[in-house]
């Protein structure tokens, strides 16, 4: 078993019309044994920027703490919030710095940039970025997430339809992966508001 699969995870981000959604499952396991059913994988950097961290749970939490520290320093120095593109480069550099003993995480970054243009990207554990205009996925359920998102996604969705689409994609994908699941957590971010919802999924 790969170290990335040790805790199990499923994270997905999707772009809508001047909005984006980021969702994750809630299971924390140790291989096939479930340890917690309310584990957080999506973290807030600032009100228009979020990061989802799949992979090894302990590394995800460490990485998040380092990123918050770096972002706070940036805020003090620049007196403004970081743009999603800048933050993606920061995460990439941070991961590449540790390339010989990497954080076993595959981050997904989602945010609203200039003119509230949605930005999403993912990267591997050493910071190789992959930008997308529609959706990005990571975690143990990534293969089934690709299939579900590919068939359900359509461009320029309004926030409510985007929520419905990402939720259905997440729930149907984690049912096909025994290492992730136990409900979901979805954030829909628009220029004016952030909607947070918890999904109830199969509890097995």
């Amino acid at each position: 078993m790969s170290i990335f699969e040790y805790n199990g995870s499923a994270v997905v981000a999707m772009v809508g019309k001047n909005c984006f959604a980021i969702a994750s499952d809630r299971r924390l396991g140790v291989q096939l044994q479930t340890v917690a059913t309310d584990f957080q994988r999506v973290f807030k950097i600032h009100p228009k920027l979020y990061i989802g961290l799949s992979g090894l749970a302990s590394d995800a939490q460490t990485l998040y703490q380092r990123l918050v520290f770096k972002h706070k320093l940036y805020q003090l120095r620049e007196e403004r919030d970081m743009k999603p593109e800048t933050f993606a480069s920061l995460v990439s550099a941070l991961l590449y710095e540790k390339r010989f003993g990497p954080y076993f995480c595959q981050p997904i970054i989602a945010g609203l940039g200039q003119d509230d243009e949605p930005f999403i990207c993912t990267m591997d554990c050493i910071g190789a970025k992959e930008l997308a205009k529609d959706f990005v996925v990571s975690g143990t359920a990534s293969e089934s997430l690709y299939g579900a998102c590919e068939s359900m996604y359509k461009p320029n969705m309004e926030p409510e339809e985007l929520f419905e689409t990402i939720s259905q994609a997440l729930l149907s994908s984690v049912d096909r992966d025994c290492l992730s699941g136990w409900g979901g957590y979805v954030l829909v971010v628009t220029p004016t508001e952030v909607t947070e919802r918890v999904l109830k999924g199969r509890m097995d």
Side-chain angles (χ1 to χ4, degrees), residues 1 4-5 7-11 25 27 31-32 34 41 138-145 169-182 202 204:
M1 177 182 265
F4 292 98
E5 295 169 7
N7 298 121
S9 53
V11 186
D25 70 321
R27 179 183 180 271
Q31 295 181 8
L32 297 176
T34 301
R41 284 201 177 80
S138 81
T140 52
S142 59
E143 283 186 19
S144 46
L145 274 166
L170 181 75
L171 289 175
S172 61
S173 300
V174 297
D175 284 352
R176 288 165 177 78
D177 174 42
C178 62
L179 296 176
S180 59
W182 227 283
R202 280 179 55 154
D204 60 357

Side-chain angles (χ1 to χ4, degrees), residues 2-203:
S2 153
I3 189 68
F4 292 98
E5 295 169 7
Y6 186 73
N7 298 121
S9 53
V11 186
V12 55
M14 213 177 256
V15 164
K17 190 179 179 184
N18 287 347
C19 62
F20 71 86
I22 183 165
S24 76
D25 70 321
R26 308 187 76 208
R27 179 183 180 271
L28 172 70
V30 172
Q31 295 181 8
L32 297 176
Q33 180 185 4
T34 301
V35 175
T37 59
D38 59 352
F39 191 68
Q40 191 181 357
R41 284 201 177 80
V42 178
F43 304 99
K44 177 180 169 181
I45 303 298
H46 65 72
K48 288 185 179 179
L49 180 62
Y50 289 81
I51 185 167
L53 294 165
S54 71
L56 193 65
S58 50
D59 276 7
Q61 290 175 333
T62 307
L63 186 57
Y64 170 64
Q65 285 166 358
R66 284 199 65 189
L67 291 169
V68 166
F69 167 69
K70 296 252 186 194
H71 186 256
K72 282 180 177 168
L73 283 180
Y74 181 92
Q75 279 176 318
L76 285 168
R77 195 172 55 245
E78 303 283 334
E79 295 182 356
R80 64 195 164 100
D81 285 333
M82 216 180 253
K83 287 181 194 160
E85 294 84 352
T86 316
F87 184 70
S89 298
L90 169 75
V91 177
S92 181
L94 194 83
L95 289 171
Y96 192 68
E97 207 174 87
K98 291 262 187 288
R99 64 191 175 279
F100 299 118
Y103 290 112
F104 296 113
C105 287
Q106 291 165 323
I108 281 183
I109 291 149
L112 291 177
Q114 268 179 325
D115 306 322
D116 295 318
E117 189 67 35
F119 170 89
I120 55 169
C121 98
T122 183
M123 53 192 81
D124 64 4
C125 66
I126 55 165
K129 279 190 284 192
E130 185 187 330
L131 306 172
K133 292 268 176 263
D134 44 11
F135 56 84
V136 287
V137 305
S138 81
T140 52
S142 59
E143 283 186 19
S144 46
L145 274 166
Y146 268 122
C149 293
E150 204 70 72
S151 57
M152 292 180 189
Y153 178 81
K154 60 180 199 269
N156 295 323
M157 286 185 282
E158 293 297 330
E160 208 49 50
E161 191 184 358
L162 182 64
F163 162 72
E164 199 61 46
T165 306
I166 200 169
S167 303
Q168 293 298 340
L170 181 75
L171 289 175
S172 61
S173 300
V174 297
D175 284 352
R176 288 165 177 78
D177 174 42
C178 62
L179 296 176
S180 59
W182 227 283
Y185 172 75
V186 185
L187 277 160
V188 181
V189 181
T190 68
T192 51
E193 61 178 2
V194 178
T195 314
E196 220 174 294
R197 291 187 180 104
V198 175
L199 307 175
K200 194 162 188 227
R202 280 179 55 154
M203 299 298 180

